[in-house]
Structure formats: structure tokens, C-alpha cells
Amino acid sequence: MSDDVQTGTAMTDQQVTSVLEGFADAFGRQRRSPILHTPDEQGLQWEDVTFPARDGVPLEGWFIPCPGSDRLVIANHPMGFTRSGLPAHLEPWHAQWAASGNGFEVDFTPDYKILHDAGYHVLAYDLRNHGHSGEGNGGISSSGIYEARDGAGALDYVRRRPDTRDTAVGLFSRCLGASSTFAAMTQFPDAFQDVRCLLAVQPVTARVIIGRRLDLLGLADRIDQLERLIVARTSIGFARRSPAEWAKNVHVPTYLYQVRDDVLTHPSDVQAMFDNIPAADKKLQWIEDTTARWDGYLEFQRRPAPMLDWLATHLND
């Protein structure tokens, strides 16, 4: 991407249209990123597992056992990531994210080590159209609408496994994974009746994050044009992609955390979701002194104590 495109200056209408078309293509159907890390790098025993989403899309994941435990955490991931993270230090992902200050790698495998060592089985899986999981709905990204079926499928799977069906279950849902969890609680409330708690990491509204990325390109006034292009590719406009609305159906104890000055969103977006959660037992943590969204994804492995306390409070009884 040229400097002119990055700053949004001195672009012709043709150049702007080309940028928006490329943006719509990338958002509508996410480029799959590779799984570059595995749990054995953290000294963990694990097995490859596969299970169906509620609509039959095959999902791939890792099951990391913690012998003798009766507690389990199910983890998913942000848009464009996989269960192992995102190699944003490598191309083409670096070029996509460096302008927003997020051109560095996120490796999620240390998270699983922390959870395992705290006494939890871990199921980490790729959402549809990501990692090694199957393609669903023509490969389009729906901001949680269809990905909700994956979260419900993961819960169905752990309830079928003889070694996990009686465990106390908590959820560790990140970004798109968090939004899809909110959506799943709206669409499939039966699946969450015995879920004990949720860690929700940086859920974001599609219109907000896309608007902020257009701001960085100097194209904030083109968001309606971009939405039309996204609808042409996915049939889903911004109004239907509403985690704040889905949050009204989140009844489990929820710990939500977010980089306050994240350049890719506004604090009001997460605050609205938090305010809409009807659960009496809920907490919102702001991460300070950074503008990089990726720092929010790394917060757990850097300072896990508050999140581990939340899990222990709700899963240990």
C-alpha cells in the first residue's frame, strides 16, 4: 500500500474506489492465517480434535488435558486469527496492521499454558473460515451471526466427551469470538444453561472498527459506500452485526476487558456492550498506557491474575 493510500491524501476517486473494493474483499472473506505455534512449545500434552458446529461445519482444535481436573475453559479467537494467534510480524499481515500500531505477533499458546497450570482442561478451536476449520456460508465473515453456531458446537462437543461432560465450563472468547459468543447466547440459550462464566476480550462492533480503520486512511466519509460494497459481498449490513444488542442476552457472570485507547475502536463501544449485559455479576477492566489493540490480546499472558481469580471464583465451587 502506498503512502498516499495509507494517509488518504491526494487520492483520485478511482484510487479511493480501489481501496474500498479491496477493503470490502478483505473484510467479507478473511484471508486465512497460518497456525505457527502448537501447545508442545509450552511443554503441554495435547491432541488434535474435530467436531461439528451446530450447522455441521467441521471445526478443528486442540484439547489440552489437565489430569484430575473437573474444570474446563473453551477458548476461541479474533477475526483473522487462529487458535495459535496471528503472525502480524510477517507479510501480508504486517502490512495490513502495522499502520494501526499492531504490526507485531500475537501467540496464544502461552495463554493455554497459564490455564493448564492453573488446573484447567483447555479446548482451543478455530472458528469457521479460519485456521484449519471448514468453510461455512460461502466463506463470508458475519461478525458473529453464523460463527455463533461454532460456539454452541464447542459446548456440544465437550458435553459429549466422557472426560469433560461433567466438568465446570468457563469461556475465554476473544474479539470476533466474544461477539459470536454473545450471538450464540442469543440464538442458542439452551447451550449455555450450565456455563459458569465468561472472559470476553475486546468485542467490537463492525461499523466502529471499520470506521476507525477508514479514519486512519483519511476516508471516514466513505463508510456508507464501503458498507454497500460489504453488503454486495456478504448480504449483511452493519445494523445486523450488533454485539451490543446480543449482549442483552448474556446472563452468565462476565469479565470484559479492553484497551481503553485502542485506535481501532472507541471506549463507548465496549461500554455499551457492558451496560447491556443483564448479568448482575460482571466486571469491565480497561487496559491503559497503550493504543495497540494487540496488547489487549496479550494482557492475559502478561498479567493473568485478575482473570484467573475470576475463573477460580466461578469454577472452583
Side-chain angles (χ1 to χ4, degrees), residues 274-296:
F274 180 78
D275 292 344
N276 281 354
I277 292 173
D281 190 0
K282 61 182 181 178
K283 180 176 181 178
L284 173 59
Q285 175 191 338
W286 294 109
I287 300 165
E288 309 288 357
D289 302 321
T290 180
T291 62
R293 184 170 183 82
W294 284 196
D295 283 328

Side-chain angles (χ1 to χ4, degrees), residues 222-280:
R222 299 299 187 109
I223 191 166
D224 292 336
Q225 181 182 353
L226 178 57
E227 181 180 18
R228 290 191 292 272
L229 294 171
I230 290 171
V231 170
R233 288 155 173 77
T234 68
S235 305
I236 306 172
F238 290 146
R240 289 181 58 197
R241 304 170 183 260
S242 180
E245 187 64 25
W246 303 327
K248 296 176 181 178
N249 299 293
V250 177
H251 295 283
V252 304
T254 300
Y255 186 123
L256 197 161
Y257 59 97
Q258 166 73 50
V259 170
R260 187 192 297 272
D261 296 325
D262 178 0
V263 297
L264 295 177
T265 186
H266 296 289
S268 59
D269 188 36
V270 165
Q271 185 69 56
M273 296 181 213
F274 180 78
D275 292 344
N276 281 354
I277 292 173

Side-chain angles (χ1 to χ4, degrees), residues 32-88:
R32 289 187 187 242
S33 58
I35 298 170
L36 294 187
H37 300 283
T38 54
D40 59 291
E41 296 174 22
Q42 304 296 326
L44 298 170
Q45 299 295 314
W46 56 282
E47 61 179 282
D48 287 315
V49 297
T50 184
F51 54 89
R54 276 281 172 106
D55 59 357
V57 172
L59 305 176
E60 304 294 326
W62 297 318
F63 179 69
I64 303 168
C66 183
S69 177
D70 59 358
R71 301 170 294 161
L72 179 145
V73 174
I74 300 174
N76 59 24
H77 59 80
M79 180 181 288
F81 286 56
T82 70
R83 68 192 110 146
S84 81
L86 183 74

Side-chain angles (χ1 to χ4, degrees), residues 54 74 148-159 169 171 180-181 183-196 252:
R54 276 281 172 106
I74 300 174
R149 302 168 185 175
D150 306 341
L155 284 164
D156 294 341
Y157 171 69
V158 300
R159 288 172 181 134
V169 176
L171 305 178
S180 65
T181 298
M185 290 175 171
T186 301
Q187 297 176 35
F188 311 109
D190 61 296
F192 296 86
Q193 290 179 1
D194 58 356
V195 169
R196 299 283 191 89
V252 304

